[in-house]
Amino acid sequence: MLTPLANADALRIGRVEFVSPDEVKVLLDIEAPHNIALNSGIPRPFPRINSYALIPNESGFIVTQIGWITTEQSQFTKQRNVKDNIVIDLPYPLRKMSLNLLGILKENISTDNEKPSYTFSRGIEMFPTVGDSVLLPTQSQLQSIVESGLNRHVDIGTSPLAGNAIISINPDRLFGRHLAVLGNTGSGKSCSVAGLIRWSIEAAERELSSKQNKSISANTRFIILDPNGEYTTTFSDLKNVNVRIYGMEEDITNKIEQLVVPLWLWNTSEWIAFAQASSKTQKPTLIQALRTVRDNISLVDISPSHNMRRYLRTLITILKIEISRGNPWAGGGHSKGFKDLIKAWERGLTIDSSFSNNERQALTTLKQAFEKFYTTNTVSNEDWPIYTQPETTILLKEIEKTHYKFGGKSTDTLPIDADVPCPFSGDDLLKSIEANAELMNTSDYVETMLMRIKTLLSDSKLKPVISPDKKITLDQWLDKYICPSNCKNGSITIVDLSLIPTELTYIITSVLARMTLESLQRYRKISTGQTIPTILVMEEAHTFIKRYNSDSENGNALETCAKIFEKIAREGRKFGLGLIISSQRPSELSPTVLSQCNSFLLHRISNDKDQELVNKLVPDTLRSLLRELPSLPSENAILLGWASELPVMVKMNYLEKGHRPQSNDPEYWNSWIKNRNNITWKEVANDWQQSKKTTNK
């Protein structure tokens, strides 16, 4: 039978036998429970791996966690009456256990009529010594350990190791410092993610309603990137939340709107990754084409004078690039190619009848400057000329003077940002690539790149996504996908990526993630430091945030996508963007993203590489808790990191079937013996093959 320790609520179970910075070894009392502690407040399993014990000292109680339990042969014996008048001595084993030190539990000052309360804090002020008593904590002490921390507003489950104490989290810590939900398929990751979103919204609504005595929606914002289409019906019952679902195809029945990610939102890296542009010729041509086409002025219905000004500005930009490369005086094939380039530029200096006298005179003078430039060849071979840097700079100055005569300004000659999201059409981009390829003398090298872009633009299934008939402005797009400007309710944006072609999925995901970050960055800038707290959820993160070879010369679509999430992981917190990544293969995730996640919710993990990676997330003294990962049942997880004062095992709250993502295992047996599906492959084939009809307005 356990006996209370003097001046303590907890009950003694043993004494300290050995102390080191890594662990404390304890000799259990003979009277300590063998399986169930009946007089510890409520019946509780003891001893049990990863459960808690206390060691009293001057600061209060040292909180410890059981690492291992063993028995060893004792030198003492115990007498037993086997038969009448026969007594023999039998060895009696001693029980020992190892404790990992977690922190300090201090009793709060209270009146005589109040129950004692405690406060837990991480870190050890003073180590125990040999002979110190070890106590079994009471229920209130267990709750104080597990339920520690400030602003714990959202209940996510209970702790089976702490008398089913309620596990609550601080949303600022959980979402503000990024969260990784890791575990095998079928371990409950998706349900945990869906539950965290739902429970957070419900907790915020309860808080608001209790203060104003009426139902009020919370101002929450979640953006879910769903590669498998699991979340389309998960939040349909939330009445006070503006749930918006976007997919590859519009589906009025299931309230799925048409996903629109216009191609003019793509930045340079995303276009290069999609077009697989080579670094020597295709990439510079594509960048210059994007600079030109993002001028936000239509390529048709403009005056010849304005068109010439644009042409001269393009020449200035390209010539500056060529000078930076040293092409005019590099010798060899470079100089020969440069002469052909200059000849092509001169042919474009055509005088239109609508030009003014000053404009005509300026073009005539510029043509003479070109003719003079040809004579500055420093070698006798006209086929392989070499021009000096000063003479090339003089030609640049003459083009700039002519540009000024046509109404251009000095600031206009600077390269236009190729990443500014100014609208343009696919046809405009193709024309710009072809025109700039001719000006840069790279027409023979951009055919494969042009073919890929033309194939993309000609796909009628993708046209509503990347080039919709109904034009959308940047502010309209931000209002729909990032945060509604006049939304009185919270918002959940679900993007179903399941039917998008694989090679384009990375680009679409990259654009959505990047636009979310950059829009919040710019909002903070114009609002003098205010933020719009938003949570970006990435399912199947190992597919999109994968390890990549950083030494590769040309980034592919996967690398481009991963780099965006790495930037969000590093910088998102400052702009109010939190990140939740859910993955079944943490060993394949980008180390940068994983290292920036300060909280982890770990479900069952069986793979040895994944276990090895996860073990590095916690200190050596607490790794005993992670040994349970391979055997964790569904709905159970281990919460550790910034969101929890100490690693704790959590039985997640029950999530009703209708509130779960559609990721259930298939029912093979019922299909074999009960269900008789009438398969109509014709409808599937028609939907698969038939191009979506579009009408030009």
Side-chain angles (χ1 to χ4, degrees), residues 342-442:
I342 295 295
K343 288 282 188 182
W345 292 358
E346 184 185 5
R347 288 193 295 270
L349 301 176
T350 56
I351 300 177
D352 191 90
S353 59
S354 63
F355 290 169
S356 67
N357 291 332
N358 288 337
E359 291 173 342
R360 292 184 182 185
Q361 182 61 41
L363 277 183
T364 301
T365 303
L366 181 58
K367 283 178 171 287
Q368 294 172 355
F370 271 89
E371 294 298 330
K372 182 178 179 181
F373 177 77
Y374 299 141
T375 64
T376 61
N377 177 20
T378 58
V379 295
S380 59
N381 189 346
E382 292 296 332
D383 293 331
W384 299 91
I386 297 178
Y387 305 98
T388 63
Q389 183 177 10
E391 296 297 337
T392 309
T393 304
I394 291 174
L395 179 62
L396 174 63
K397 295 296 183 182
E398 291 296 331
I399 300 176
E400 289 177 340
K401 290 179 182 179
T402 308
H403 176 253
Y404 178 77
K405 292 290 186 181
F406 275 84
K409 300 178 181 179
S410 59
T411 55
D412 292 339
T413 62
L414 297 176
I416 301 171
D417 188 352
D419 293 337
V420 174
C422 296
F424 60 83
S425 67
D427 290 338
D428 287 344
L429 178 60
L430 290 174
K431 292 177 182 178
S432 182
I433 293 175
E434 292 171 347
N436 281 279
E438 184 176 350
L439 292 176
M440 299 175 71
N441 199 25
T442 58

Side-chain angles (χ1 to χ4, degrees), residues 444-686:
D444 295 339
Y445 305 99
V446 299
E447 288 301 324
T448 56
M449 181 177 70
L450 279 172
M451 185 61 65
R452 286 186 60 82
I453 297 176
K454 288 178 180 178
T455 302
L456 170 69
L457 298 176
S458 63
D459 191 327
S460 57
K461 283 276 189 180
L462 292 175
K463 188 176 185 297
V465 179
I466 63 174
S467 185
D469 292 331
K470 185 178 180 180
K471 303 302 180 183
I472 183 172
T473 62
L474 179 59
D475 59 307
Q476 291 172 341
W477 191 90
L478 295 174
D479 191 87
K480 290 185 65 175
Y481 292 88
I482 307 302
C483 178
S485 56
N486 59 350
C487 183
K488 298 180 180 179
N489 301 338
S491 65
I492 299 178
T493 302
I494 303 172
V495 182
D496 182 359
L497 303 167
S498 57
L499 296 179
I500 297 178
T502 303
E503 63 176 339
L504 198 60
T505 304
Y506 298 117
I507 301 297
I508 297 297
T509 303
S510 175
V511 174
L512 290 169
R514 177 181 54 79
M515 288 299 296
T516 302
L517 174 63
E518 293 184 359
S519 61
L520 297 182
Q521 285 177 322
R522 283 161 176 78
Y523 178 83
R524 194 185 77 161
K525 177 182 177 181
I526 66 171
S527 62
T528 62
Q530 296 182 10
T531 60
I532 309 176
T534 304
I535 297 139
L536 182 65
V537 182
M538 184 71 254
E539 273 285 353
E540 303 294 340
H542 54 276
T543 303
F544 300 92
I545 316 176
K546 204 177 185 69
R547 291 173 176 264
Y548 59 86
N549 181 13
S550 58
D551 296 332
S552 60
E553 184 177 0
N554 296 322
N556 54 32
L558 175 59
E559 179 181 339
T560 301
C561 185
K563 286 182 176 179
I564 291 299
F565 282 95
E566 289 178 348
K567 185 175 182 180
I568 292 175
R570 292 192 304 264
E571 305 174 12
R573 178 187 61 83
K574 296 178 289 187
F575 306 103
L577 182 57
L579 184 63
I580 299 179
I581 60 173
S582 175
S583 174
Q584 56 187 281
R585 289 306 308 273
S587 60
E588 296 182 3
L589 288 171
S590 163
T592 300
V593 173
L594 205 57
S595 66
Q596 295 297 321
C597 291
N598 284 15
S599 298
F600 298 87
L601 190 62
L602 307 177
H603 288 264
R604 181 175 62 252
I605 297 178
S606 302
N607 185 275
D608 54 348
K609 289 185 178 180
D610 296 331
Q611 289 182 35
E612 181 181 354
L613 177 66
V614 169
N615 280 329
K616 297 177 181 179
L617 302 178
V618 297
D620 292 341
T621 56
L622 300 179
R623 288 183 182 175
S624 59
L625 185 64
L626 300 185
R627 294 171 189 159
E628 295 198 27
L629 284 176
S631 57
L632 278 179
S634 297
E635 301 180 15
N636 284 257
I638 296 173
L639 176 66
L640 57 91
W642 183 247
S644 177
E645 290 292 326
L646 74 165
V648 60
M649 186 176 296
V650 185
K651 181 175 176 57
M652 305 298 292
N653 288 337
Y654 178 76
L655 201 62
E656 295 183 11
K657 187 174 182 180
H659 300 165
R660 303 173 190 171
Q662 299 173 353
S663 58
N664 295 333
D665 295 332
E667 297 181 350
Y668 286 96
W669 183 252
N670 287 337
S671 176
W672 292 346
I673 66 174
K674 294 181 181 180
N675 299 333
R676 293 293 186 269
N677 297 328
N678 295 322
I679 302 175
T680 54
W681 287 116
K682 185 65 176 176
E683 295 180 7
V684 176
N686 290 340

Side-chain angles (χ1 to χ4, degrees), residues 147-183:
E147 299 175 1
S148 57
L150 301 175
N151 300 320
R152 298 182 305 104
H153 300 295
V154 182
D155 298 341
I156 65 172
T158 58
S159 174
L161 296 178
N164 291 324
I166 296 176
I167 304 297
S168 302
I169 51 95
N170 179 353
D172 295 342
R173 287 192 166 200
L174 187 71
F175 300 125
R177 296 290 185 90
H178 310 314
L179 168 68
V181 183
L182 310 175

